[in-house]
């Protein structure tokens, strides 16, 4: 079996949904598990719904959700004829999952409501895609991934219960008809053992696909994107971005760790553990070879550049000029773990620590409050983190010219620069 993943950009219009069907026709007769994200900017729209609801703006939340509803109903009307009425009923059931919440008042934490509302985007897109494929003569089975992918209740960043998920997936496929080759399901979401919807972290559909690939011992995983393959930098930011035909698991996981938007950071481990190759291909031109990611080391890679805006530098100094020892470092990491904060850059001195993290205001406030028991804390916002792998001094000088640098860390392979602006 092969696993495919199509992101939101690949299903954000009538034409692109039809294009996905054309791609799948090329694999007729092969066993495919296809993971599909929410359409276009639906996740962003549903995040606004969740924000309005949690801020007790019930009418705003309902109005914003109605826009999402109408967009999907319109898409279904343009795509479907025979299957429209049945699909309409299915869509209404998914709408209702969110609306019963939106008519209530929040009494639990934000992350719980976020997951219950935002997960609807994937359910809507796969419902429409599955119905269109069937109508276009591409027989498939729609699967609610929440019946298979079991997680804990760490909402917005749920951990996967691999044992239960493996049992669920294998049992489901063992009971499927032998001639059923194509399965359509959702990325990014799962559920707890109490049937509460969860999400695996922003852009987590890649990770969902890797989970399926691992459990199914897939021949390969293909992620279909709107670029010809993995690039050495974001082509929207850097005109000199180069196409990379081959990469190693190690290189990609490093790129993802530093913030490259190519692959979700958790995607590689399930693939590497079973030596499953990852293909990154263009849904715009499927004939292009794309990028192959495997255990094979690529040689002579160009400088790989990653830019992360909206960074915060937290300056921490011990209250009484005590040295920064292992006890204080351990306490700080406990705080970061409890708040689910990943350091992007960490530098220690004799009596101080500088910590760079993403600018999540709620988490930053909680971190500063907890850390203030150990340190004098100063929070500096409005920063950008530049990472260059396989750098040389010439490119480093060119990219930092004229910038006010707050922090710089360098190894033989990688340099990171935190600067203002």
């Amino acid at each position: 079996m092969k696993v495919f993943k199509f992101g939101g950009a690949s299903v954000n219009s009538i034409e692109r949904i039809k294009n996905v069907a054309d791609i799948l026709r090329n694999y007729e007769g092969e066993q495919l598990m296809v993971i599909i994200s929410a359409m276009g900017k639906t996740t962003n729209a549903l995040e606004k719904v969740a924000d309005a609801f949690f801020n007790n703006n019930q009418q705003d939340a309902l109005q914003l959700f109605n826009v999402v509803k109408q967009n999907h109903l319109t898409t279904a009307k343009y795509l479907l004829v025979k299957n429209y009425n049945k699909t309409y009923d299915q869509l209404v059931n998914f709408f209702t999952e969110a609306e019963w919440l939106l008519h209530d008042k929040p009494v639990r934490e934000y992350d719980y409501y976020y997951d219950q509302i935002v997960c609807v985007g994937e359910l809507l897109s796969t419902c429409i895609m599955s119905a269109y494929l069937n109508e276009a003569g591409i027989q498939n089975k729609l699967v609610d991934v929440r019946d298979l992918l079991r997680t804990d209740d760490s909402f917005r960043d749920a951990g996967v219960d691999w044992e239960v998920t493996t049992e669920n997936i294998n049992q489901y496929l063992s009971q499927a008809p032998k001639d059923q080759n194509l399965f359509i399901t959702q990325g990014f979401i799962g559920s707890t053992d109490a049937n509460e919807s969860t999400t695996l972290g922003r852009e987590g559909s890649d990770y969902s696909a890797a989970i399926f690939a691992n459990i199914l011992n897939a021949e390969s995983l293909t992620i279909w994107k709107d670029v010809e393959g993995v690039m050495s930098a974001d082509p929207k930011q850097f005109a000199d971005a180069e196409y990379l035909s081959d990469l190693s698991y190690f290189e990609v996981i490093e790129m993802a760790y530093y913030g490259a938007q190519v692959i979700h950071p958790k995607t590689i481990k399930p693939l590497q553990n079973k030596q499953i190759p990852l293909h990154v291909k263009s849904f715009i031109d499927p004939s292009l070879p794309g990028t192959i990611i495997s255990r094979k080391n690529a040689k002579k890679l160009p400088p790989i550049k990653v830019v992360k805006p909206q960074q915060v530098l937290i300056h921490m100094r011990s209250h009484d000029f005590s040295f920064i020892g292992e006890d204080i470092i351990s306490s700080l990491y406990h705080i970061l773990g409890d708040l689910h904060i990943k350091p992007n850059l960490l530098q220690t001195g004799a009596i101080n620590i500088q910590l760079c993290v993403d600018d999540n205001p709620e988490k930053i406030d909680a971190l500063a409050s907890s850390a203030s028991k150990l340190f004098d804390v100063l929070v500096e916002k409005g920063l950008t983190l530049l990472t260059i792998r396989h750098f040389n001094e010439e490119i480093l000088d060119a990219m930092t010219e004229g910038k006010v640098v707050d922090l710089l860390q360098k190894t033989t392979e990688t340099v990171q620069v935190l600067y203002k602006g």
Side-chain angles (χ1 to χ4, degrees):
M1 180 175 279
K2 295 177 180 176
V3 178
F4 285 177
K5 181 260 177 173
F6 291 94
S10 63
V11 290
N12 68 357
S13 67
I14 302 294
E15 292 72 22
R16 287 194 168 174
I17 290 172
K18 291 180 178 180
N19 180 62
V20 170
D22 291 338
I23 291 173
L24 294 178
R25 278 196 185 92
N26 294 327
Y27 297 87
E28 186 176 358
E30 297 190 48
Q31 278 199 313
L32 297 177
M33 180 67 70
V34 179
I35 316 297
I36 297 178
S37 300
M39 294 180 181
K41 300 297 183 182
T42 299
T43 299
N44 293 342
L46 289 170
E47 285 177 337
K48 292 179 181 177
V49 174
D51 290 346
F53 167 77
F54 197 73
N55 290 323
N56 287 303
N57 298 323
Q58 187 185 68
Q59 290 306 309
D60 287 350
L62 288 167
Q63 288 173 6
L64 288 167
F65 188 70
N66 188 58
V67 173
V68 174
K69 286 174 58 176
Q70 296 307 316
N71 286 342
H72 284 82
L73 288 173
T74 299
T75 299
K77 285 178 184 176
Y78 276 104
L79 279 171
L80 305 173
V81 179
K82 294 182 297 182
N83 292 336
Y84 177 75
N85 289 336
K86 179 182 177 182
T87 305
Y88 174 85
D89 291 340
Q90 290 178 303
L91 292 173
V92 168
N93 288 336
F94 292 136
F95 296 151
T96 303
E97 284 195 34
E99 287 176 321
W100 75 267
L101 270 179
L102 300 180
H103 284 96
D104 208 341
K105 288 188 179 295
V107 293
R108 296 179 62 170
E109 70 277 10
Y110 172 82
D111 289 352
Y112 167 78
Y113 293 110
Y114 177 98
D115 281 5
Q116 309 317 302
I117 294 167
V118 170
C119 77
V120 174
E122 271 69 15
L123 298 167
L124 300 177
S125 66
T126 50
C127 178
I128 293 172
M129 175 59 76
S130 174
Y132 174 70
L133 291 174
N134 280 324
E135 191 154 304
I138 305 173
Q139 199 270 330
N140 71 92
K141 177 67 175 175
L142 178 62
V143 184
D144 189 331
V145 76
R146 297 174 298 178
D147 295 333
L148 304 181
L149 206 157
R150 182 62 50 80
T151 73
D152 60 21
D153 60 357
S154 299
F155 298 104
R156 290 190 74 184
D157 191 22
V160 176
D161 185 328
W162 281 87
E163 183 177 350
V164 174
T165 300
T166 299
E167 182 181 343
N168 288 346
I169 290 174
N170 288 333
Q171 182 178 11
Y172 177 83
L173 289 178
S174 70
Q175 296 172 350
K178 297 300 181 184
D179 61 349
Q180 182 65 62
N181 287 327
L182 178 58
F183 300 88
I184 305 294
T185 195
Q186 305 80 31
F188 176 56
I189 65 178
S191 73
T192 68
D193 55 10
N195 290 321
E196 295 175 316
S197 298
T198 56
T199 64
L200 306 181
R202 201 68 159 82
E203 308 296 337
S205 293
D206 290 354
Y207 183 38
S208 298
I211 293 167
F212 273 96
N214 177 285
I215 291 172
L216 295 171
N217 295 306
E219 176 186 334
S220 63
L221 166 60
T222 301
I223 295 177
W224 296 88
K225 301 177 73 70
D226 58 356
V227 292
E228 62 177 306
V230 179
M231 309 292 286
S232 64
D234 184 345
K236 297 175 184 175
Q237 294 178 303
F238 297 96
D240 61 349
E242 297 181 40
Y243 158 69
L244 307 172
S245 61
D246 299 275
L247 288 169
S248 67
Y249 294 125
F250 176 78
E251 188 65 45
V252 171
I253 205 166
E254 286 287 302
M255 291 169 65
Y257 175 82
Y258 291 121
Q261 297 299 305
V262 179
I263 305 293
H264 188 278
K266 294 181 180 178
T267 303
I268 299 301
K269 183 178 184 299
L271 303 177
Q272 188 277 336
N273 288 171
K274 291 193 173 179
Q275 299 299 309
I276 298 168
L278 170 59
H279 301 263
V280 179
K281 286 180 67 69
S282 168
F283 64 76
I284 296 172
D285 187 354
S287 67
L288 294 174
T291 300
I292 300 177
I293 299 162
S294 66
R295 61 183 177 180
K296 181 181 178 182
N297 288 322
K299 297 179 180 179
K300 295 183 179 179
L301 289 172
I304 295 173
K305 296 167 283 191
V306 181
V307 177
K308 287 191 75 174
Q310 296 180 313
Q311 297 295 290
V312 174
L313 183 60
I314 302 175
H315 303 265
M316 294 173 280
R317 175 177 290 176
S318 60
H319 289 309
D320 57 0
F321 271 48
S322 297
F323 283 120
I324 301 295
E326 59 271 18
D327 290 341
I328 290 181
I329 291 289
S330 177
S331 297
L332 176 60
Y333 269 94
H334 275 299
I335 294 170
L336 294 172
D338 289 342
L339 295 173
H340 301 286
I341 295 175
K342 181 184 79 69
N344 294 327
L345 195 60
L346 178 70
Q347 189 160 293
T348 61
I351 62 171
N352 62 76
I353 297 175
Q354 292 176 294
L355 175 68
C356 171
V357 297
D358 294 338
D359 189 359
N360 182 319
E362 185 178 334
K363 289 188 176 184
I364 296 301
D365 290 345
L367 173 58
S369 176
S370 296
S372 65
K373 299 170 186 175
L374 303 169
F375 309 97
D376 295 326
V377 178
L378 176 66
V379 177
E380 183 180 0
K381 295 194 173 189
L383 304 174
T384 297
L385 179 61
L386 166 68
T387 302
I388 312 174
R389 282 185 57 74
H390 315 294
F391 75 99
N392 56 56
E393 293 299 332
E394 182 181 357
I395 192 170
L396 175 60
D397 291 343
M399 294 197 67
T400 56
E401 184 179 1
K403 293 181 170 59
V404 179
V405 175
D406 270 24
L407 201 60
L408 185 146
Q409 280 189 0
K410 187 189 296 186
T411 68
T412 56
E413 273 198 314
T414 304
V415 62
Q416 290 188 280
V417 184
L418 187 67
Y419 58 85
K420 289 182 172 60

